Amino acid sequence: MYRRWMAVALALVLTLAMAGSVFAQSVTIIARAVEGGVNSHIVTWIHESVFPAFQEKMRQQGREVELRFIQFGGSDEALKQQYALDLSVGAGADIMAFDGFWVPEFVEAGYLKPLDEVAGPGVWNWEGWAHIPEGLRGLLGFDGKVFGLGLGTDVRKLYYRADLFEQAGIPVPWEPKSWEDVLETARILKQRFPGSTPLQINAGTSMGEATTMQGYFMVLLGTGIHMYDFEQGKWIVEHPGILDALNLYKRIYVDEGLGDRRMQLLAQGREQSFAAFRDGRIMILAEGDWFWRSVVAPGSEWEPAGGRNAVVRWAPFPAKEPGAGYGGTDFVSISGGTGYVLNPFSKNPDLAWELLSFMFSTEMMLKLQELQPGIRIRDDVPVITDPVMSAMAEKLLPVSTVRPQLPAYPRISVEAQLMTERVITGEMTPEEAMKAYAEAVVELVGEENVIRVK
Amino acid sequence: MTLVKHVLARIGFYVLVAVVGSFFALPLLWLFTAPFHGQATLSVQIPTQPTLANFAAVFRNTFAVRALLQNSVIQAGGAMILTTLVASLAAYALARVRLPGRDVLVYILILFSSVVTGTAAMVPIFLLIYNLGLIDTHLGVILVFTGGLLPTAIFIMRDFVAGLPRSLEESAMVAGAGSWQILRQIVLPQVRPGMMVIAVWAFVNVWGGFLIPFILLRSPDKMPASAATYSFYTESGTPVITLISAYALLYVIPALALYLFVNWRYGFKFFGGIKS
Amino acid sequence: MAGVQLLWRWEGFAVRRDQVALLSGRMGLTFLSPALLFIILFLLFPFVWVVVISFTDRTLLGASAVSPEFVGLRNYLQLFNPERWMRRGEFGYSLYLTLIFVAGSVAGQMGLGIILSLLFYRREGVLKEVMYTLVTLAWILPEAAMAFTWSAFFDRDAGTLNAILGWFGLGPYDWLLDYPLLSIIIFNIWRGTAFSMLLMTAALGSIRPSYIETAMVAGASPWQRFRDIMFPLVRPQFLTGLVLITLWTFNVFSPFLLTQGGPAFQTEIVAIHTYRVAFRFYEFGRGSAIAVVVMVINLILASVYLLSQRRQGVRAR
């Protein structure tokens, strides 16, 4: 009896082993998107627009291709780790959804190759290049080379609750000209709505890259500097601007209690901050586009009563003082971008490129816009359905900057988050926190790659 | 006097049981109320109008449903069978063969397993499974989990085997039975409660594990339920409470059912008889 | 359970020798071989890899992913860099948290396990079944689901815990913000008590009832009965539980799902710290070094236990 049992177990185990099989002349796409779950619109887009249209196109050329979309259901970190493991052994999907700031680390490890190396110089004949502004080609680039195509980009700003502003007697539209304006408004709101923590600028490691992008960078750029000096090719680790930025955090979260540091520290803090914005406990919030198009979108969980379009407004994030922003601007923004890269180990690189460039054709991009409007990389794909989005893009893209596309960036970004955390928890003074940051960055990139400005 | 003392003791007993019982029961309450609530929050609210809408929404997520009903069952079931069989064989051998230092050996293995099941060993495990050609197969997941679970399984199992009276085996031996025969006909039937404990324990470990599947699996149609919980997160990585609570409840049911079955049929307990 | 047998076998070869060997060496090896194969492939090989890699700067990404270099003891020295290691988020701080976490969890789990097993000693019935089922469920239900129910339980505004404390006029407390380490210890006690409960129940069940009855006749109070008769008899099992729970607790990762190591690293116990170094930063060299250090600590703890067990045995003779 037990022998039979074991035989059944073995048979089961063997059948399972056979389950994985390989298709020929096929292209596979992977993205963090799940039908009915996270990024569901990408699944719809690929399955209902991209694949049928591409199949049709291929059929007209008399070619039969097999297309597969792998819906990845895990976290971004888990996806990144899968990519790294797969590419280290020359495996993986042919087209991979990628966050722009992951690219350099992968390139350095030899896990990614430029588009023209993967699919041949023919890639430069694509019609799309003419519609992609020079500055956005490098969205998935490193060291002057291009590894993939960006779906689009975004900008960052302050969102505010127009309804509550009016109740507090603050004129709408609100146009803060300096940090002091923002703080002053927050003070008025706090007084008018006791118990509220009106202002949130992300801090802390718990929010991850959201702290760096929506928080630290926005503040730092407002002091006129960047994390990285692009001319000298060095990281700025000590600078009065950094201290100014940290002191702003200190004023908001420690000295004046204008913000709730609880949300910066807890694991689900970001979610709580959305709820607080919905419920009116937070009235000014620094966030990116997707806050508008997804978080508070009509019908979503976090849409304030009264409706997004009626009560949520946006204002550019001001520099410390007018003209003090990075590059002499009055207000600041930073942009990121996600997109798709080609797997250098693809068995059908030409077909993969054909599909990738097809995904980024005007027609397909317009289809995506219908599902969820965003700022797309192509200049012939406007944000048709949402005037607010187009206004943001128009106003902020010209002043917006990008993260340093360097392999060390993701780690240094974490150190910057840690620096803000140390200040808002009171563990360190801004001076101590900056010193600890400098030490950590030096350990990561070496003394020769940093600059200190007293 | 003794009556008063007796009554006081009874009261003390029930108070203590109530307190400890609440400690174990209260955190679970939410799991059984939130899924039936149309606008579930983090608070425990008895739904005034219980709804199954959350479950309906969960079942529309085909990825998550397949993960739960098919993949998790295959992987947890496979690792359960394999771990139980391999551990029983090994435990029997360890209990009956003279091998100096074998007890220390088991401890050392447990130490190893704690290092290796940690995240640092992700790369060698991936490379191993890749070279065996088992990436993106259920079998790969089953093997790796089994490897990690074996030391503790052997440890628990060994006591059940060691607790058996030797006389039965001795008589069987005298009657000319071979080792396999003794194992199958005498030993395994007697240690079945132990095998069941191992089985439940192995099953729930795989059922809940989420790091290994992400390392070893690629196709969404092979991902287990633990991985699928992430699909109920929003783009920003925040959970959708209504859906996640419903899915969490569905997710615990098989583990619960298995435990209740084994406990009813065999009794879920460790072996405590000290034999000579 | 294991402890007693361990001890007896340890010194019991002489006793055994005149018994018939129930399994020949060859058959023993046959039965052991599947387990051996698994252990060599899935434990020994990764273990050796981890030890070797801990002396390199191997990463998952970037230049040192392809061509890692031998860096000697650098990873280890960095872990113990006296200037930094006790800062939040560094290894020393994490080790310090882990010691508190382990001590609290082990005390709580063993304590509750003993209380439960004593409460229901020689009792059967529905109440026992319900209680044991509840405690065991806490142990076996999937981690991800449990993390959600506990976030809900601890929530400041809507959580069950504060709601209950509110009836007594206490709180509300911001558990995960103000008492993060205590919170994950409570969570872990809840999660792990089943093992010690099952272990101690089995151990108490193995005591000959006549011992207790004799003591009762002699008029010993319950506490005396426990202290003088029951506990000495189950001491080996108690120690076994202690050491196993200690080893496991050192490697517990589940609080991650509750707090992700925060706020501000105040719940970043070593398993979570290793995860962050290896998984988020992809620094496998340093992650491996941490794993090795933790293993050495575990090894010392286990040896202390094994030795004390052995000495105890000698004295018992």
Side-chain angles (χ1 to χ4, degrees):
Chain A
M1 151 138 203
Y2 277 90
R3 180 168 289 173
R4 206 180 321 142
W5 217 48
M6 238 175 282
V8 171
L10 259 181
L12 177 76
V13 150
L14 283 175
T15 342
L16 295 175
M18 310 294 280
S21 61
V22 192
F23 302 105
Q25 256 301 314
S26 67
V27 179
T28 323
I29 306 178
I30 182 167
R32 184 177 170 228
V34 172
E35 195 170 359
V38 59
N39 292 332
S40 189
H41 65 284
I42 295 286
V43 183
T44 315
W45 178 56
I46 300 264
H47 275 157
E48 285 170 20
S49 303
V50 176
F51 279 0
F54 190 68
Q55 292 276 21
E56 184 52 38
K57 187 182 163 195
M58 290 292 108
R59 240 191 307 277
Q60 280 168 9
Q61 299 174 11
R63 293 158 72 186
E64 204 54 50
V65 291
E66 185 143 16
L67 305 176
R68 210 158 71 96
F69 179 52
I70 301 180
Q71 304 177 30
F72 182 78
S75 65
D76 276 331
E77 277 79 16
L79 182 62
K80 185 180 178 188
Q81 161 217 324
Q82 267 198 7
Y83 287 169
L85 291 172
D86 280 349
L87 292 169
S88 74
V89 293
D94 303 281
I95 298 174
M96 306 166 131
F98 237 75
D99 199 316
F101 81 106
W102 296 352
V103 169
E105 292 174 285
F106 279 80
V107 175
E108 279 230 322
Y111 296 165
L112 284 182
K113 296 267 181 287
L115 285 178
D116 48 1
E117 237 175 85
V118 179
V123 299
W124 297 116
N125 301 332
W126 180 47
E127 54 80 32
W129 296 117
H131 294 285
I132 298 177
E134 199 75 39
L136 291 178
R137 284 185 198 171
L139 222 48
L140 296 174
F142 170 52
D143 218 6
K145 300 197 179 70
V146 179
F147 298 84
L149 299 175
L151 263 185
T153 186
D154 54 6
V155 286
R156 280 160 182 77
K157 57 250 141 189
L158 294 170
Y159 290 93
Y160 63 96
R161 286 288 297 270
D163 51 340
L164 301 173
F165 270 51
E166 276 165 357
Q167 281 180 38
I170 301 162
V172 172
W174 176 56
E175 282 171 349
K177 298 276 179 281
S178 66
W179 288 358
E180 204 45 61
D181 281 359
V182 176
L183 291 174
E184 190 48 41
T185 310
R187 284 185 203 114
I188 296 170
L189 289 166
K190 190 176 162 74
Q191 210 167 14
R192 172 67 179 74
F193 302 101
S196 69
T197 44
L199 174 62
Q200 166 152 305
I201 294 172
N202 293 353
T205 51
S206 161
M207 295 221 192
E209 194 61 14
T211 286
T212 317
M213 290 295 270
Q214 271 87 264
Y216 181 67
F217 248 126
M218 297 296 280
V219 179
L220 186 70
L221 292 168
T223 71
I225 61 166
H226 200 283
M227 276 168 75
Y228 185 74
D229 185 319
F230 288 89
E231 273 168 30
Q232 295 187 50
K234 292 180 180 189
W235 298 91
I236 305 171
V237 295
E238 278 180 28
H239 194 285
I242 298 180
L243 282 181
D244 284 349
L246 295 178
N247 273 310
L248 179 67
Y249 273 115
K250 186 163 170 281
R251 285 171 75 184
I252 295 174
Y253 290 104
V254 183
D255 300 343
E256 302 194 37
L258 297 171
D260 185 356
R261 67 190 173 130
R262 182 173 191 268
M263 294 176 194
Q264 317 304 307
L265 297 172
L266 290 183
Q268 296 300 335
R270 202 168 177 198
E271 173 193 42
Q272 294 185 2
S273 76
F274 298 154
F277 188 80
R278 174 192 61 198
D279 304 338
R281 277 173 289 131
I282 289 178
M283 287 158 267
I284 308 170
L285 179 63
E287 270 294 351
D289 291 5
W290 70 269
F291 180 79
W292 175 265
R293 66 180 142 86
S294 175
V295 179
V296 291
S300 85
E301 194 180 352
W302 314 114
E303 189 188 16
R308 175 190 77 176
N309 296 338
V311 304
V312 183
R313 299 278 175 85
W314 67 279
F317 197 117
K320 191 178 174 214
E321 277 121 26
Y326 183 61
T329 55
D330 294 338
F331 38 80
V332 296
S333 168
I334 184 156
S335 301
T338 59
Y340 293 84
V341 299
L342 282 189
N343 183 336
F345 309 105
S346 168
K347 294 199 178 59
N348 299 304
D350 299 324
L351 187 62
W353 165 251
E354 267 183 85
L355 177 57
L356 180 66
S357 52
F358 183 76
M359 284 161 69
F360 285 81
S361 62
T362 318
E363 195 195 344
M364 288 300 117
M365 282 287 116
L366 285 172
K367 291 275 187 207
L368 183 59
Q369 287 300 69
E370 285 168 21
L371 293 167
Q372 195 177 86
I375 305 172
R376 298 301 164 201
I377 190 176
R378 289 185 72 122
D379 57 17
D380 53 351
V381 180
V383 197
I384 29 175
T385 48
D386 192 338
V388 176
M389 288 281 300
S390 14
M392 292 175 193
E394 202 175 311
K395 176 120 185 173
L396 296 176
L397 271 183
V399 298
S400 200
T401 180
V402 292
R403 288 167 281 194
Q405 281 281 22
L406 292 166
Y409 171 76
R411 276 290 272 115
I412 293 179
S413 169
V414 176
E415 292 301 332
Q417 295 154 26
L418 184 56
M419 175 166 63
T420 62
E421 183 166 286
R422 285 167 167 160
V423 171
I424 64 160
T425 54
E427 187 195 351
M428 292 187 185
T429 64
E431 288 77 12
E432 289 164 348
M434 183 170 80
K435 187 166 163 276
Y437 171 72
E439 280 173 22
V441 176
V442 166
E443 194 174 283
L444 288 168
V445 298
E447 188 64 50
E448 66 281 9
N449 289 313
V450 304
I451 36 181
R452 299 165 199 267
V453 180
K454 295 290 171 209
Chain B
M1 192 61 206
T2 41
L3 184 70
V4 173
K5 221 170 158 185
H6 182 72
V7 168
L8 280 179
R10 292 306 285 174
I11 291 174
F13 171 77
Y14 285 114
V15 167
L16 204 53
V17 167
V19 169
V20 178
S22 321
F23 173 62
F24 283 94
L26 286 174
L28 286 173
L29 263 187
W30 179 83
L31 186 63
F32 294 92
T33 59
F36 301 98
H37 213 283
Q39 276 100 34
T41 60
L42 290 177
S43 66
V44 172
Q45 302 161 314
I46 308 301
T48 42
Q49 293 164 311
T51 169
L52 293 175
N54 297 335
F55 293 99
V58 163
F59 276 102
R60 279 196 292 276
N61 184 334
T62 48
F63 165 65
V65 172
R66 187 177 42 222
L68 182 70
L69 298 181
Q70 178 188 314
N71 303 335
S72 278
V73 172
I74 294 176
Q75 287 159 23
M80 173 181 87
I81 295 171
L82 205 56
T83 306
T84 311
L85 289 180
V86 175
S88 303
L89 278 180
Y92 176 58
L94 278 177
R96 289 293 184 251
V97 104
R98 291 194 196 117
L99 183 70
R102 61 188 169 179
D103 302 303
V104 180
L105 189 78
V106 178
Y107 273 94
I108 290 178
L109 290 181
I110 289 182
L111 275 178
F112 275 178
S113 70
S114 65
V115 172
V116 165
T117 46
T119 47
M122 179 171 89
V123 172
I125 287 189
F126 171 81
L127 292 177
L128 187 68
I129 292 297
Y130 178 80
N131 286 311
L132 291 172
L134 294 176
I135 287 296
D136 201 23
T137 62
H138 292 303
L139 181 61
V141 175
I142 292 171
L143 292 180
V144 170
F145 267 118
T146 304
L149 295 174
L150 263 183
T152 309
I154 294 175
F155 186 90
I156 297 178
M157 197 63 205
R158 224 179 37 149
D159 289 306
F160 282 92
V161 180
L164 295 179
R166 302 166 63 94
S167 53
L168 271 176
E169 291 161 67
E170 278 163 3
S171 356
M173 219 168 157
V174 172
S179 296
W180 279 105
Q181 219 176 342
I182 292 178
L183 177 73
R184 285 205 317 270
Q185 290 173 359
I186 296 176
V187 178
L188 291 188
Q190 289 190 83
V191 297
R192 202 174 286 163
M195 293 173 75
M196 290 302 146
V197 169
I198 303 289
V200 171
W201 178 79
F203 182 89
V204 300
N205 262 285
V206 182
W207 192 256
F210 61 96
L211 292 177
I212 290 173
F214 275 133
I215 296 167
L216 301 180
L217 294 176
R218 292 299 175 268
S219 320
D221 48 2
K222 297 206 182 78
M223 284 287 180
S226 51
T229 50
Y230 284 96
S231 68
F232 296 107
Y233 280 52
T234 63
E235 188 184 357
S236 63
T238 57
V240 182
I241 293 176
T242 44
L243 300 184
I244 211 119
S245 62
Y247 193 64
L249 183 57
L250 293 175
Y251 182 34
V252 302
I253 286 174
L256 183 70
L258 182 68
Y259 166 75
L260 290 177
F261 171 75
V262 165
N263 191 33
W264 163 71
R265 189 83 173 68
Y266 301 96
F268 189 84
K269 51 181 176 250
F270 287 177
F271 187 81
I274 297 171
K275 52 96 227 186
S276 59
Chain C
M1 84 187 163
V4 166
Q5 290 150 22
L6 187 82
L7 150 73
W8 285 4
R9 276 184 227 137
W10 199 268
E11 312 174 3
F13 291 126
V15 185
R16 282 275 174 78
R17 210 152 288 156
D18 52 27
Q19 291 178 339
V20 194
L22 285 175
L23 200 58
S24 69
R26 220 186 63 214
M27 282 316 284
L29 202 62
T30 313
F31 288 169
L32 269 178
S33 54
L36 278 179
L37 190 69
F38 269 102
I39 282 157
I40 291 169
L41 274 181
F42 296 105
L43 291 183
L44 209 57
F45 162 72
F47 174 76
V48 171
W49 191 91
V50 165
V51 173
V52 171
I53 286 302
S54 74
F55 297 101
T56 70
D57 64 354
R58 174 76 148 85
T59 51
L60 186 66
L61 289 169
S64 40
V66 212
S67 47
E69 278 172 24
F70 180 76
V71 295
L73 288 173
R74 197 182 76 189
N75 292 321
Y76 292 91
L77 293 177
Q78 274 180 0
L79 292 184
F80 295 100
N81 177 349
E83 247 178 64
R84 296 234 311 269
W85 78 307
M86 286 308 291
R87 257 182 216 162
R88 282 182 183 175
E90 297 287 338
F91 177 66
Y93 184 70
S94 154
L95 205 57
Y96 159 75
L97 292 177
T98 310
L99 291 179
I100 300 175
F101 177 72
V102 170
S105 299
V106 171
Q109 289 181 12
M110 289 307 292
L112 266 182
I114 291 175
I115 288 175
L116 279 163
S117 59
L118 283 175
L119 274 180
F120 293 100
Y121 178 61
R122 298 174 72 188
R123 266 179 225 262
E124 293 299 331
V126 181
L127 196 57
K128 179 178 181 177
E129 285 302 312
V130 169
M131 187 67 123
Y132 273 50
T133 300
L134 268 177
V135 178
T136 312
L137 285 185
W139 188 40
I140 62 167
L141 292 183
E143 228 152 54
M146 290 308 99
F148 281 113
T149 72
W150 272 82
S151 319
F153 186 65
F154 276 138
D155 191 70
R156 180 186 63 177
D157 306 313
T160 317
L161 184 55
N162 278 343
I164 292 168
L165 291 175
W167 299 340
F168 300 99
L170 298 169
Y173 297 102
D174 203 344
W175 291 99
L176 293 176
L177 186 74
D178 295 329
Y179 311 98
L181 190 58
L182 179 66
S183 299
I184 64 164
I185 291 175
I186 293 175
F187 167 68
N188 197 47
I189 292 173
W190 180 84
R191 186 109 176 109
T193 293
F195 180 78
S196 74
M197 177 187 78
L198 292 170
L199 183 72
M200 294 318 292
T201 303
L204 290 179
S206 69
I207 298 176
R208 278 198 201 133
S210 57
Y211 291 2
I212 314 283
E213 278 150 20
T214 316
M216 278 170 91
V217 170
S221 73
W223 168 246
Q224 283 171 330
R225 288 204 299 269
F226 174 71
R227 191 193 58 194
D228 297 334
I229 308 203
M230 293 166 111
F231 188 74
L233 285 171
V234 299
R235 198 187 136 93
Q237 289 95 328
F238 177 81
L239 281 173
T240 304
L242 211 59
V243 81
L244 279 183
I245 293 175
T246 306
L247 293 190
W248 287 334
T249 310
F250 251 95
N251 295 287
V252 158
F253 181 70
S254 31
F256 178 82
L257 296 167
L258 201 56
T259 64
Q260 299 185 1
F265 304 105
Q266 291 171 82
T267 57
E268 202 187 58
I269 49 179
V270 279
I272 298 177
H273 184 70
T274 319
Y275 173 83
R276 191 162 60 92
V277 170
F279 235 81
R280 292 283 156 89
F281 296 168
Y282 306 114
E283 291 180 14
F284 286 110
R286 216 174 93 202
S288 300
I290 296 171
V292 171
V293 171
V294 171
M295 205 206 67
V296 169
I297 295 174
N298 285 345
L299 194 65
I300 294 171
L301 288 174
S303 322
V304 168
Y305 154 76
L306 282 173
L307 287 176
S308 78
Q309 187 71 295
R310 209 170 175 182
R311 209 172 307 127
Q312 186 72 19
V314 174
R315 226 182 294 139
R317 253 186 204 177

